Structure formats: structure tokens, C-alpha cells
Amino acid sequence: MKKIALSLLTSFVLLLTGCKEVKKAEEITRSNEQTTVTTELSDLSVYNLPSTWTTQEGREIELKDLQGNVIVMVMIYTSCKAACPRLVADMRHIETRVTGANKNRLKYVLVSIDPEVDTPERLKAFAKENKMDGDQWLFLRSTEENTREFAATLAVNYKKISPIDFSHSNIISVFNTKGELEYQQEGLGIDYAPTVKAIEHQLALIP
């Protein structure tokens, strides 16, 4: 009788263990399905651009790899001594002001308009110098052609005026999770409260 009871108890424990493992496997499958779901892109999305970019870590990506994040983006060059330091400071100030949920889905992207000088190594050093080396900060460079094409989508104009200097637009852009432009701030050292509000609004829309 004791052997029968022990056998029944062992079977019951194994059954519970099996149920837990099946449930865990189902949860993992559901999680993977949610992660791999991609949103259909509109014609207005910058993620339609086929260009390849290199990060400050030397990793090659496409813009569509950023899909699912709210993006705050600016175009600069690291040897700039005039406008760019102000733009970089504005980006840092905006980053400290943003509050609310889903901040892990927010990326601050700085795109170089001088890819010849701004190598991945230079971009990484610049990020460290400006205390912008956290996971939320991303520096990108590409070919001159890709950079020009991307700048045109943001209405950012730039022109080389000497071997080491560019004249350029001073615009900070906010993109939604689908890569569509939602808001732009133009100018240096201006009130960036509306930009912060636009970012927080987009973060709040994330399920």
C-alpha cells in the first residue's frame, strides 16, 4: 500500500513539474513572438532608407534597426567649435529633463556630417569626452551620399566652407517608434520644453 501511495505521489509531482515546464515554454514563445513582431512602415518613415551606418562601437546597422524606439536626432561634426557644442549641450539637457515611463525605449542619435574625419574611434572618444557614452546615446557615420540623403529628409542643410569647417542647420528632430518625424526644434540654446513634451508624448504612446 505504501509503495502504491509513493508511486502515486511521485507521478503527481512529475505531472506538476511537466505542467510548469510547458507553461514556461509557452511564456517564452509568447515573449519571442511579441519581440519579433514588426510594424508596417509608412511612406513617411526614415526606416525605408536602405543606407548602412557605422556606430561609435564600429558596428554596422541600418536605420530600421532602431525601429520600436523613440528617436531624438541631431546632425553634427565633432571638430566643430561653434554651433555643435551648443547642440550637444541641448541634447544633454533634454536627456536630463525627460521623465515618465518607457525611457528604455528612447535613443539619442547624433549623426556626423563629416564622415571622413569622424571615424568610429573619433565618435567614441567624443561620446566619452561629452559624457554621452551610456546605452541611450548612439553616434552614427556613413558615406557622404547616405549622409546627404538622410539630411535631406530632415531638411538639414550643410556645406563645407573650409577644410575643417561646415555651415549647417541647427535642428533637433523627434521620431516616433515607426521612424516618422513628429517634431523639430530649430535654434541654439532655446527653450527645449516643447521638445521634451513631444518626446514624453511619444513615449506615453508605447503599449
Side-chain angles (χ1 to χ4, degrees):
M1 189 67 178
K2 288 182 179 179
K3 289 182 179 180
I4 294 173
L6 182 60
S7 177
L8 288 172
L9 180 61
T10 302
S11 298
F12 182 66
V13 170
L14 290 173
L15 180 62
L16 285 178
T17 303
C19 289
K20 288 180 180 178
E21 289 177 350
V22 169
K23 186 176 181 181
K24 184 176 181 181
E26 289 175 348
E27 290 173 350
I28 292 173
T29 300
R30 281 198 300 271
S31 176
N32 289 341
E33 287 175 349
Q34 292 171 356
T35 302
T36 55
V37 169
T38 56
T39 305
E40 186 176 348
L41 300 177
S42 75
D43 293 338
L44 299 176
S45 176
V46 294
Y47 297 150
N48 290 310
L49 296 175
S51 50
T52 300
W53 299 77
T54 307
T55 73
Q56 71 268 37
E57 300 295 339
R59 184 167 60 92
E60 288 195 352
I61 67 168
E62 294 182 18
L63 293 175
K64 65 182 180 181
D65 294 332
L66 301 175
Q67 185 177 353
N69 296 293
V70 174
I71 305 298
V72 185
M73 188 173 291
V74 69
M75 300 190 77
I76 64 163
Y77 64 107
T78 62
S79 58
C80 176
K81 304 301 181 184
C84 295
R86 296 290 298 278
L87 280 171
V88 169
D90 284 345
M91 288 284 278
R92 281 201 309 265
H93 292 154
I94 289 168
E95 193 266 344
T96 62
R97 288 279 299 276
V98 173
T99 60
N102 298 317
K103 286 181 65 176
N104 62 315
R105 299 278 293 278
L106 177 58
K107 295 290 184 184
Y108 297 88
V109 181
L110 294 91
V111 178
S112 173
I113 62 174
D114 189 13
E116 184 178 348
V117 171
D118 289 337
T119 62
E121 294 78 14
R122 174 59 193 141
L123 292 175
K124 186 171 183 177
F126 184 83
K128 188 173 182 179
E129 289 165 9
N130 288 277
K131 298 180 173 58
M132 303 168 85
D133 50 352
D135 292 339
Q136 71 273 37
W137 298 101
L138 183 64
F139 288 76
L140 298 178
R141 67 178 292 280
S142 189
T143 63
E144 175 65 24
E145 181 181 0
N146 289 341
T147 306
R148 287 283 179 191
E149 180 183 41
F150 183 67
T153 68
L154 300 184
V156 170
N157 297 310
Y158 66 94
K159 180 180 180 181
K160 197 163 191 175
I161 57 177
S162 81
I164 60 171
D165 285 319
F166 291 78
S167 63
H168 59 90
S169 306
N170 302 309
I171 299 176
I172 294 176
S173 305
V174 179
F175 293 86
N176 64 24
T177 56
K178 300 175 185 178
E180 298 162 344
L181 183 62
E182 291 287 348
Y183 180 83
Q184 287 188 307
Q185 165 191 305
E186 186 169 8
L188 296 171
I190 63 176
D191 179 16
Y192 41 78
T195 303
V196 171
K197 185 177 180 180
I199 296 167
E200 290 175 345
H201 175 69
Q202 291 304 315
L203 290 175
L205 296 177
I206 298 176

